[in-house]
Amino acid sequence: MSRIKRRSARRTTHRAARRATISVLVAAALATAVPAAAHDGSSRPEEKAALGAEHAQEHTKVREQLLKLGGYSQLARIDSLNSLTRSQADVNARFHPKTYGQFAEYFPSPEFAAHIAMLPTGKVLLFSFERMESDPTEEPAPTNTLGRANAGRAFLWDPRRGTGPDAFKKVTPPELVVPDGTGEKRPAPFFCAGHAFLPNGMLGVFGGNLGYGGGAGAKLSLVFDPWTEGWSVNKDMEVGRWYPSVATAPDGRLLIMSGHTDQGWGTSTSVIERFPAKSHPVPFEKTLVPKDVPTDTLRVDAPFGADSDYPHLFTLRDGKVYGLGRHATRQWAFDPVAETRADLPARPDGIHRGYGSAVPLPAGLRGPDSVLVLGGDRDDPNTYRLTSGGAWEKQQPRAFGRTQDDTLLLPDASLLTVNGAHGIRDYGNGDYNPKSDLKYRQIETRNALGEWKLGPAQRLPRGYHSNALVLPDGRIMVTGDELQQLANDPKIDDDMNGSIEIFEPAYLHRGSRPVLDRAPEGPLRYDTAFNVGTSTPDRVKKAVLLAPTTATHSLNTSQRHLELGIVKRQGNNLRLQAPPSANDAPPGYYMLFLLDEYGVPSAAKWVSLR
């Protein structure tokens, strides 16, 4: 039986069992109620007379919990969130912030955030879909829904405006008709698309859902402009894509690979597309907004297969794009200039890895020349390093195996893993059961020696569709996983469907920060020196560039960490050396941090490379 059919069968069985349970409980609660047709949650005099006040009140509570919000009670949501809050406090009491960091904030968000992007304006783009369900034991996404109900949605969060509703702005995607046979316009159904940054800071978003076939891929090609906070529509891709991956090549063009076609789940495409097409200029300027721009195809293909959806893609300093498939044997290096593909050795674990992390490892003053693959298998805690030369090496393990995890590069070159689960919709207690093993809520960090250690617990378990990114002030934003957000929403009827947690890494608890007062506003040229201003010059030991995150499904193709040489110190001015080439750091926007000897970062300023 195919994967989608197995999922469908499980959901059908689950829904039937759940409806039967609800029917039994409702019938029991209503059996002696008079009149039987009055199905509100209020207390009824007839029940009190027939059953007694205490028994009638029990029936009222059952009705309120089962008949409200599809059978998943609001009391259950509140109780779950309270329980998670208490267990988080109990666990984290033994982790000192100076050594392990701490979770500092938790607040509601209007968006599930299956997709995120840290924009060069300092705002965060969050997007996913309009929900079909408020019950976390059911599938809320409109994967098999035709017409207007199958719609995308998007919001901006501005951290400078705080954490309340006013800090969020809706940025609805363009209304259009997709070829689903209905002819109905709707906000572009771009969830489960792929995305990467263009050199001008705009985000290219490719693919999405047509609403049938368990995940039929749309040909959508959209761009979000962070400077005007609007969307533009480009010419359709050559093939539909559901779960594709996208990476920025050294020339600034985006390579789009993999994904299931418009024929439905399991019909993968091996066609590689490039945006913008070579007949169109690369958008380096903020004013150059791609509209009606086509893709073109590379001469080489990328045969990842249906079991390697969302392959990890990374541009390493040899200028090649490394495509690391979920299946152990599907590992390739692509040359975007020669348009060729080279085989890489199979990953030594020999297994299929589901949704887990992969990170390009810092390499000092040069761009990364290796990638660390981790997560995606609940039984294997090991990590695996691939060098650009094609050699694999088993690295030190994490505390336990987990899937759906998100691993971030931090300004001090350490790694941080947040989120994780037992399986796609399994948090350790079976599919579509919101209860989670506490271990999946604990972060893990990796130091310069490659050693991992467990740390404090986040409030919510976050597995499938979870996300995280580094903010310009060095804090970590954690969000995503619509099922857990629905299961723990204390006000399910308001417009705040999701939640965000803020983690403060240990470096923010080791004293005051160095200060970055001034950075160039214009683009930086490769292999040239530039000046920055700091009122704490004696404390600055390092300068680093950190690429902003855009991520989904444990896939983060944009991460990058480079040190910058400090070539001269003069008073409150530092002269820094830009990266050697676009192979080391593809053109685009980066966060520039200054660090002291303890790894404490300044707040970042944005710079762009040309």
Side-chain angles (χ1 to χ4, degrees), residues 399-464:
F400 51 87
R402 64 172 100 188
T403 71
Q404 326 304 323
D405 53 299
D406 300 283
T407 301
L408 295 172
L409 275 167
L410 302 190
D412 64 355
S414 65
L415 301 184
L416 168 71
T417 292
V418 297
N419 303 324
H422 191 66
I424 288 183
R425 295 299 199 191
D426 186 345
Y427 308 90
N429 292 282
D431 286 351
Y432 289 86
N433 182 340
K435 296 187 182 299
S436 173
D437 288 351
L438 191 145
K439 69 179 183 180
Y440 295 122
R441 294 160 55 197
Q442 286 190 260
I443 69 160
E444 291 189 67
T445 54
R446 180 184 186 267
N447 62 19
L449 300 176
E451 300 165 333
W452 292 91
K453 67 179 179 183
L454 277 174
Q458 57 201 74
R459 185 162 304 179
L460 260 59
R462 296 182 191 264
Y464 194 49

Side-chain angles (χ1 to χ4, degrees), residues 279-404:
S279 58
H280 286 67
V282 176
F284 286 98
E285 304 296 337
K286 295 179 183 179
T287 54
L288 189 57
V289 183
K291 293 181 181 178
D292 295 320
V293 173
T295 61
D296 59 9
T297 59
L298 268 65
R299 291 192 297 267
V300 67
D301 64 357
F304 283 107
D307 57 351
S308 283
D309 47 300
Y310 275 135
H312 293 289
L313 302 181
F314 298 104
T315 301
L316 299 187
R317 72 174 181 224
D318 60 4
K320 297 177 181 177
V321 176
Y322 284 72
L324 310 182
R326 310 267 174 195
H327 194 283
T329 62
R330 294 193 171 104
Q331 316 292 318
W332 294 294
F334 301 89
D335 187 328
V337 177
E339 299 187 23
T340 58
R341 183 187 79 234
D343 293 339
L344 296 173
R347 198 174 54 241
D349 56 2
I351 61 174
H352 176 273
R353 305 189 80 85
Y355 303 119
S357 301
V359 181
L361 292 173
L365 300 173
R366 298 294 308 277
D369 63 355
S370 65
V371 174
L372 191 70
V373 176
L374 61 164
D377 184 83
R378 63 193 180 209
D379 300 317
D380 185 6
N382 291 301
T383 64
Y384 299 87
R385 178 174 175 260
L386 173 71
T387 65
S388 57
W392 286 97
E393 177 187 9
K394 184 187 288 187
Q395 299 275 286
Q396 296 187 51
R398 293 187 292 186
F400 51 87
R402 64 172 100 188
T403 71
Q404 326 304 323

Side-chain angles (χ1 to χ4, degrees), residues 28-288:
L30 301 178
T32 55
V34 181
H39 288 178
D40 61 33
S42 60
S43 180
R44 302 172 186 170
E46 299 88 346
E47 285 187 349
K48 290 182 181 179
L51 305 173
E54 185 175 352
H55 195 183
Q57 186 61 30
E58 291 176 2
H59 282 215
T60 299
K61 289 180 179 179
V62 170
R63 274 196 306 275
E64 290 174 340
Q65 293 184 36
L66 293 178
L67 298 180
K68 185 178 181 182
L69 306 169
Y72 196 86
S73 77
Q74 190 59 42
L75 291 177
R77 302 173 204 271
I78 294 171
D79 181 67
S80 176
L81 182 59
N82 289 341
S83 176
L84 292 171
T85 303
R86 288 192 299 270
S87 61
Q88 181 190 34
D90 291 343
V91 170
N92 292 352
R94 64 176 185 264
F95 292 104
H96 195 284
K98 188 174 181 180
T99 303
Y100 296 95
Q102 71 174 12
F103 282 93
E105 293 183 85
Y106 179 92
F107 53 95
S109 161
E111 176 47 38
F112 293 140
H115 304 260
I116 59 172
M118 181 70 247
L119 303 176
T121 58
K123 299 179 182 181
V124 181
L125 178 66
L126 317 169
F127 60 103
S128 65
F129 49 81
E130 294 290 351
R131 76 183 189 205
M132 303 298 294
E133 273 279 354
S134 60
D135 186 335
T137 65
E138 300 286 358
E139 176 57 63
T143 304
N144 286 299
T145 301
L146 298 175
R148 187 165 178 81
N150 177 20
R153 69 181 185 192
F155 291 84
L156 287 173
W157 173 48
D158 186 351
R160 293 162 295 197
R161 293 178 62 88
T163 60
D166 292 343
F168 296 89
K169 175 185 176 181
K170 195 167 190 176
V171 284
T172 302
E175 289 224 347
L176 44 78
V177 176
V178 298
D180 63 355
T182 67
E184 293 182 344
K185 275 192 171 185
R186 86 294 305 274
F190 52 21
F191 64 97
C192 297
H195 30 91
F197 288 108
L198 291 160
N200 62 358
M202 297 179 189
L203 186 74
V205 179
F206 305 93
N209 172 57
L210 293 178
Y212 58 82
K219 297 180 180 180
L220 295 172
S221 175
L222 306 173
V223 166
F224 183 77
D225 181 349
W227 315 109
T228 64
E229 300 182 350
W231 295 90
S232 61
V233 180
N234 289 280
K235 293 188 182 303
D236 280 353
M237 293 184 292
E238 179 175 302
V239 294
R241 298 181 190 268
W242 168 255
Y243 287 55
S245 297
V246 189
T248 307
D251 66 353
R253 298 183 194 273
L254 307 183
L255 296 186
I256 310 158
M257 302 186 198
S258 192
H260 306 270
T261 74
D262 57 4
Q263 300 302 303
W265 186 273
T267 61
S268 59
T269 178
S270 60
V271 174
I272 301 177
E273 296 188 65
R274 174 173 44 204
F275 181 87
K278 292 196 79 172
S279 58
H280 286 67
V282 176
F284 286 98
E285 304 296 337
K286 295 179 183 179
T287 54
L288 189 57

